[in-house]
């Protein structure tokens, strides 16, 4: 009795191993449990027929009915001496297959998709059998891996990717199918794999590659030549863009932009796009003023005379783009008020003095204007050389001539009448 139960137990372990063993990658296990294990008991009274229903995915493979008489090795049931087991109305095993010396009964089956198993135990009450139906499955399960959104034409993603696995098996059915995998790690050519296992222990693996780059590229715009400390240029400039990307690489970087148009606050846009499609934009500010300021000395007039030690100077200074930053008159800084200026300048020389005004705009453009004025503080000396003092004449008129020792003489009058003069003498 003990030997019979040991044989039954070893047989059970063998078939259990066939139905459960599996290997990584592709594995062929061979068998699966299509029905059972289920224990049927012989109760008191007349034999009772018990009905069970089960379905199969593939009724075309090989199926074997296993009846463990008295149950498995650790059961305490008695054996039955007679039993009738039918599948879909066709007898699989009958009374002649059982007696107290039989521990395992096996029979081939030809099931359908939907099946009815009928079990009637006979003999004295207290007996029991454990029934399995074992199927053969040496075909791999099917598994496909798909991603929730396609990569771009370069094979890169810029958003998290979810890999979903779809599994099926035509015979024993799927025991294990991988859960979806969400890829958040940024890297190139990441292999995402999943393994499907059927109830026979056969396994198959599917993989997809995911290249993920979610980080924006680096973009920097610069101006050549560099602007001055006021942020202005006074010559044509070129805007250059430097682009880089640490993972997928740069697919597009804006080319240089030449700027020749004058104006303040000009904005120019550049962009960088990496191979994964991440895009970044930046703007570069250009202040360009190539024009000279406007500068005028309105007063005094060119060549003006004065006998004063100082002279008042006034004029206008303006700039179309960057505004006048500095204005000097004879080296002294002069403030502007509504584009006008006024100051007093010392005349240090007797004779010609030069008044010089210089205006510089914030872009560094400068213009200079000058005027000359004459300082004359010495009175002219006049002499009558044509007649001596007290002379007697018998004519109603007289011609007078004389000399003047001042080259800056503006006019000569004799007794209130204007007189001609040349080179300071007449």
């Amino acid at each position: 009795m003990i030997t019979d139960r040991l044989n039954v137990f070893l047989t059970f372990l063998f078939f259990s191993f066939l139905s459960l063993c599996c290997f990584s990658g592709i594995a062929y296990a061979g068998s699966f449990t299509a029905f059972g294990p289920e224990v049927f008991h012989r109760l008191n009274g007349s034999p009772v027929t018990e009905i069970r229903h089960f379905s199969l995915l593939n009724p075309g493979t090989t199926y074997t009915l296993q009846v463990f008489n008295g149950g498995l090795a650790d059961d305490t049931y008695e054996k039955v001496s007679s039993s009738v087991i039918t599948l879909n109305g066709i007898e699989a095993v009958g009374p002649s297959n059982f007696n107290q010396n039989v521990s395992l009964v096996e029979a081939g089956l030809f099931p359908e998709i939907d099946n009815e198993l009928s079990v009637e135990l006979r003999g004295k009450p207290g007996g029991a059998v454990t029934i399995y139906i074992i199927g053969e499955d040496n075909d791999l399960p099917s598994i496909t891996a798909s991603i929730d959104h396609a990569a771009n034409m370069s094979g890169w993603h810029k958003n998290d990717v979810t890999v979903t696995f779809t599994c099926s098996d035509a015979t024993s059915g799927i025991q294990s199918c991988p859960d979806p995998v969400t890829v958040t790690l940024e890297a190139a050519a990441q292999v995402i794999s999943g393994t499907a296992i059927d109830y026979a222990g056969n396994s198959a693996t599917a993989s997809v590659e995911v290249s993920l780059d979610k980080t924006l590229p680096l973009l920097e715009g610069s101006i050549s030549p560099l602007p001055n400390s006021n942020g202005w240029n006074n010559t044509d400039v070129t805007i250059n863009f430097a682009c880089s990307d640490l993972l997928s690489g740069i697919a597009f970087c804006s080319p240089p932009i030449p700027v020749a148009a004058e104006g303040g606050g000009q904005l120019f846009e550049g962009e960088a796009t990496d191979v994964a499609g991440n895009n970044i934009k930046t703007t570069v500010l250009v202040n360009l003023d190539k024009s000279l300021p406007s500068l005028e000395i309105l007063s005094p007039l060119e060549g003006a005379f004065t006998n004063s030690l100082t002279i008042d100077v006034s004029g206008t200074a303006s700039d179309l783009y960057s505004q006048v930053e500095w204005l000097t008159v004879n080296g002294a800084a002069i403030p502007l008020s509504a584009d006008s200026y006024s100051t007093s300048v010392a005349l240090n020389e007797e004779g010609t003095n030069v008044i010089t005004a210089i205006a510089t705009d914030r872009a560094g453009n400068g213009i200079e204007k000058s005027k000359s004025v004459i300082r004359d503080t010495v009175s002219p000396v006049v002499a009558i050389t044509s007649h001596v003092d007290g002379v007697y004449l018998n004519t109603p008129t007289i011609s007078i001539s004389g000399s003047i020792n001042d080259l800056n003489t503006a006019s000569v009058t004799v007794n209130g009448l204007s007189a001609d003069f040349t080179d300071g003498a007449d």
Side-chain angles (χ1 to χ4, degrees):
M1 186 71 170
I2 294 177
T3 301
D4 291 340
R5 290 190 179 275
L6 179 59
N7 290 335
V8 170
F9 177 67
L10 293 176
T11 303
F12 168 74
L13 289 180
F14 171 75
F15 282 101
S16 296
F17 171 78
L18 290 180
S19 64
L20 295 177
C21 70
C22 60
F23 305 92
S24 61
I26 296 174
Y28 298 89
S31 63
F32 66 98
T33 301
F35 176 86
E38 184 167 349
V39 179
F40 294 85
H41 299 273
R42 170 67 175 99
L43 302 176
N44 295 325
S46 300
V48 176
T49 300
E50 297 188 54
I51 305 297
R52 301 289 185 270
H53 293 90
F54 64 95
S55 297
L56 301 174
L57 295 173
N58 177 17
T61 190
T62 299
Y63 291 91
T64 301
L65 173 67
Q66 295 178 341
V67 183
F68 293 90
N69 196 8
L72 301 180
D74 57 350
D75 292 333
T76 59
Y77 307 120
E78 296 291 333
K79 292 182 179 180
V80 298
S81 299
S82 176
S83 179
V84 176
I85 301 175
T86 65
L87 181 66
N88 301 325
I90 300 174
E91 184 176 298
V93 293
S96 61
N97 299 111
F98 290 90
N99 58 57
Q100 290 298 309
N101 296 318
V102 173
S103 298
L104 174 64
V105 178
E106 293 185 297
L109 297 177
F110 298 95
E112 301 174 359
I113 293 178
D114 296 315
N115 300 277
E116 181 179 276
L117 180 69
S118 174
V119 179
E120 182 181 295
L121 301 185
R122 300 173 181 176
K124 66 178 182 178
V129 296
T130 299
I131 294 180
Y132 283 87
I133 297 178
I134 303 299
E136 292 185 8
D137 181 2
N138 293 315
D139 296 325
L140 298 181
S142 172
I143 180 171
T144 58
S146 60
I147 56 178
D148 59 347
H149 58 278
N152 65 13
M153 295 182 63
S154 300
W156 281 87
H157 294 267
K158 64 177 183 178
N159 302 111
D160 291 346
V161 175
T162 298
V163 180
T164 302
F165 298 94
T166 302
C167 309
S168 63
D169 186 81
T171 301
S172 60
I174 290 295
Q175 182 183 39
S176 174
C177 186
D179 292 329
V181 176
T182 299
V183 183
T184 61
L185 177 66
E186 294 180 83
Q190 302 177 74
V191 178
I192 310 301
S193 299
T195 299
I197 303 174
D198 65 19
Y199 280 101
N202 303 305
S203 64
T205 299
S207 301
V208 292
E209 277 194 358
V210 175
S211 295
L212 180 60
D213 181 359
K214 302 183 290 183
T215 303
L216 294 177
L218 301 176
L219 172 63
E220 183 178 0
S222 61
I223 301 174
S224 178
L226 292 174
N228 64 15
S229 58
N230 292 322
W232 282 84
N233 289 82
N234 60 13
T235 60
D236 291 350
V237 303
T238 299
I239 302 173
N240 297 297
F241 297 98
C243 307
S244 61
D245 188 81
L246 298 178
L247 188 51
S248 61
I250 290 295
F252 173 79
C253 185
S254 290
I257 301 175
V259 182
E262 294 181 88
Q266 302 181 73
L267 293 176
F268 296 87
E269 185 177 82
E271 64 179 310
T273 304
D274 63 20
V275 175
N278 299 297
N279 178 268
I280 188 173
K281 296 181 180 180
T282 189
T283 55
V284 177
L285 173 68
V286 173
N287 297 311
L288 181 58
D289 182 358
K290 301 182 289 184
S291 302
L292 296 178
S294 173
L295 175 64
E296 297 293 340
I297 301 175
L298 300 178
S299 177
L301 298 176
E302 174 67 27
F305 285 87
T306 181
N307 60 1
S308 175
L309 296 178
T310 62
I311 191 169
D312 292 334
V313 178
S314 62
T316 59
S318 62
D319 189 78
L320 183 60
Y321 298 111
S322 62
Q323 300 181 344
V324 174
E325 184 177 26
W326 294 103
L327 174 67
T328 62
V329 177
N330 282 15
I334 306 300
L336 272 174
S337 177
D339 294 339
S340 299
Y341 66 93
S342 62
T343 188
S344 180
V345 175
L347 302 177
N348 298 319
E349 302 292 336
E350 186 74 12
T352 301
N353 287 258
V354 177
I355 299 172
T356 300
I358 299 174
T360 304
D361 64 22
R362 298 178 70 238
N365 302 299
I367 186 172
E368 179 179 311
K369 292 288 184 73
S370 297
K371 281 190 176 182
S372 296
V373 296
I374 300 171
R375 175 188 168 194
D376 186 356
T377 59
V378 179
S379 298
V381 176
V382 180
I384 298 175
T385 61
S386 60
H387 299 82
V388 296
D389 187 30
V391 67
Y392 288 91
L393 299 173
N394 61 1
T395 60
T397 61
I398 186 173
S399 294
I400 301 298
S401 63
S403 64
I404 303 172
N405 69 344
D406 195 329
L407 295 177
N408 295 328
T409 300
S411 65
V412 177
T413 61
V414 179
N415 287 2
L417 300 175
S418 178
D420 295 329
F421 66 94
T422 303
D423 295 330
D426 187 65

